[in-house]
Amino acid sequence: MTAMLGGLFSVYMERALGKNVGDNEKMWKDEEKLLEAAKYMINEFNGRIMLPKDYCMNNGFGFVCAPVAELNKGKVIDIGPDTILKYMETLGSAKNASVLINGATGFYEAAASISEPGMRGAAHVYSEAFDEKHGHIVMGFGGDSAAVFNRLGFKPHISSSSGKAFFKRI
């Protein structure tokens, strides 16, 4: 089992690893409880949690992509291009895996079309997950996942609109 993280959850993990996440900390409530849980997961699933190599961020002047070391220089919007490639490679090299998706990679809400930067992360990563040649069983949880699947034209094998509650049980 490998967990490929993105979004705010990956930022929790980065912070739990002691990285400076800058103003991204302002998005959290009950930080100590979250950090304890993140540290536990890092230790419990050592080596099976993939974190982004880079992020796309809004630095106050526009969107930039930067390595994790520069996470403190903007508000995280999405995984970066190096991470997209790594996640695609991981999904492409696995066969007959169960792929659980909660939320959506990609800043898709702001994209008018699937070719815009916000959708590219989702489109590329999910194209590997849904590619029939890999034989993956794809499960999507929550409204955000359903929204991006619909925009991309992908149909998961199993889906649930109550993503957070159901995904936590899994």
Side-chain angles (χ1 to χ4, degrees), residues 1 3 8 11 38 50 60-61 64 69 76 90-91 93 95 97-98 110 117 120 124-125 138 143 156 169:
M1 174 188 81
L8 193 54
V11 178
M50 291 178 68
F61 302 103
V64 297
V76 169
T90 301
L91 286 165
S93 65
K95 299 295 179 213
S98 296
R120 280 185 265 181
H124 287 96
V125 173
V138 181
R169 284 187 210 126

Side-chain angles (χ1 to χ4, degrees), residues 17-104:
L17 290 169
K19 295 190 178 116
N20 179 355
V21 299
D23 284 343
N24 292 295
E25 281 188 20
K26 293 178 182 175
M27 294 185 279
W28 305 336
K29 294 179 179 150
D30 197 14
E31 178 183 344
E32 278 309 308
K33 186 176 179 182
L34 291 172
L35 287 177
E36 286 176 28
K39 287 176 187 175
Y40 171 79
M41 285 184 224
I42 290 167
N43 291 325
E44 181 72 18
F45 301 102
N46 186 21
R48 298 185 309 197
I49 296 175
M50 291 178 68
L51 295 173
K53 296 176 168 203
D54 59 345
Y55 287 93
C56 287
M57 301 178 284
N58 185 336
N59 67 1
F61 302 103
F63 294 110
V64 297
C65 291
V68 172
E70 296 179 24
L71 190 56
N72 62 327
K73 296 183 178 179
K75 180 183 174 195
V76 169
I77 302 297
D78 196 359
I79 59 175
D82 292 340
T83 302
I84 291 168
L85 292 174
K86 181 63 180 168
Y87 287 7
M88 287 175 61
E89 177 185 301
T90 301
L91 286 165
S93 65
K95 299 295 179 213
N96 303 314
S98 296
V99 180
L100 286 71
I101 300 170
N102 183 32

Side-chain angles (χ1 to χ4, degrees), residues 101-169:
I101 300 170
N102 183 32
T105 301
F107 187 50
Y108 70 94
E109 308 91 54
S113 71
I114 64 169
S115 63
E116 288 187 14
M119 285 299 289
R120 280 185 265 181
H124 287 96
V125 173
Y126 295 148
S127 67
E128 286 297 325
F130 282 91
D131 192 323
E132 290 180 5
K133 70 182 176 193
H134 304 312
H136 300 322
I137 294 177
V138 181
M139 296 168 266
F141 303 100
D144 286 340
S145 297
V148 78
F149 296 160
N150 288 337
R151 286 195 73 184
L152 295 171
F154 294 138
K155 302 274 186 237
H157 297 92
I158 300 169
S159 63
S160 169
S161 62
S162 58
K164 290 179 185 167
F166 190 68
F167 192 78
K168 284 177 185 177
R169 284 187 210 126

